[in-house]
Amino acid sequence: MPGYGVAEDAEGLLPWSWAEERLARCRNYWLSTVRPGGRPHTMPLWAVWHEGRLFFSTARTSVKARNLFADPRCTVTTESGHEAVIIEGTAAVEEGQDTLSPVWDAYKAKYGWDIPGESMFVLAPRVAFAFIETDADFARTATRWTFV
C-alpha cells in the first residue's frame, strides 16, 4: 500500500483466521458489482461464510443477480470499517443440495429465515484485504491474501 506507511515486513500482519472470524460473524455485507454499461452497483445483503466461501441469496431478477450473470467479478466487504475485510473474486450460482444443505441451515440459524431449496450465489475469494482502522493499528495490520 504505497503512501500509507504500511510496513514492508510481516510483523503485525493479521492471520487469515482473523478475517474468517469477521466474515462468519458479520450480519450485513456490502456487495459491489458492475452493470453491463460499466456503472458500479453496491447493495447490502445477508450471507453465510462456509468452508472458505461466501454464500448469498438474491432474486435472479435483481440488479445484483443480473449484473453477476453478465459479469461474475465482484467485491464483498464486511459492514465494519473499523475491522474491515474485503474479498474479491467471481460469484457463481450453486444449486446442489449436498453443498447447500448446511448453508441453508446456517442461514436459518443466523437470520431466522428458512430458505431450503433456494439456489445461492457463492463467492470464492481470489484476493482478500483486511485491516484494523485505528491510528496505531492500520499501518501494522494492513494485510493482503492471494488465493489460487
Side-chain angles (χ1 to χ4, degrees), residues 99-147:
T99 300
L100 291 179
S101 186
V103 175
W104 295 326
D105 292 344
Y107 199 90
K108 183 175 182 179
K110 186 173 185 178
Y111 298 109
W113 193 0
D114 202 12
I115 59 169
E118 187 170 328
S119 64
M120 299 186 87
F121 280 93
V122 59
L123 171 61
R126 294 198 193 274
V127 178
F129 307 90
F131 52 83
I132 299 172
E133 182 58 59
T134 65
D135 289 343
D137 293 323
F138 177 78
R140 183 176 58 81
T141 63
T143 306
R144 174 187 172 136
W145 299 272
T146 303
F147 305 88

Side-chain angles (χ1 to χ4, degrees), residues 23 26 28-32 43 45 47 54 56 74-78 85-89 91 123 127 129:
L23 286 163
C26 183
N28 301 297
Y29 304 78
W30 292 95
L31 170 69
S32 296
M43 293 296 287
L45 53 77
L54 191 76
F56 59 93
C74 61
T75 300
V76 172
T77 68
T78 55
V85 180
I86 302 102
I87 55 176
E88 297 177 355
L123 171 61
V127 178
F129 307 90

Side-chain angles (χ1 to χ4, degrees), residues 47-83:
V48 172
W49 183 255
H50 179 71
E51 295 185 351
R53 300 183 299 165
L54 191 76
F55 291 81
F56 59 93
S57 176
T58 187
R60 288 178 179 254
T61 56
S62 71
V63 173
K64 297 183 291 283
R66 292 193 321 258
N67 290 349
L68 290 171
F69 287 131
D71 183 346
R73 294 174 298 169
C74 61
T75 300
V76 172
T77 68
T78 55
E79 62 191 332
S80 172
H82 175 68
E83 292 185 339

Side-chain angles (χ1 to χ4, degrees), residues 1-24:
M1 278 188 183
Y4 287 92
V6 175
E8 299 276 332
D9 62 26
E11 185 178 339
L13 294 181
L14 300 167
W16 179 240
S17 60
W18 183 94
E20 284 194 300
E21 287 172 17
R22 277 130 192 97
L23 286 163

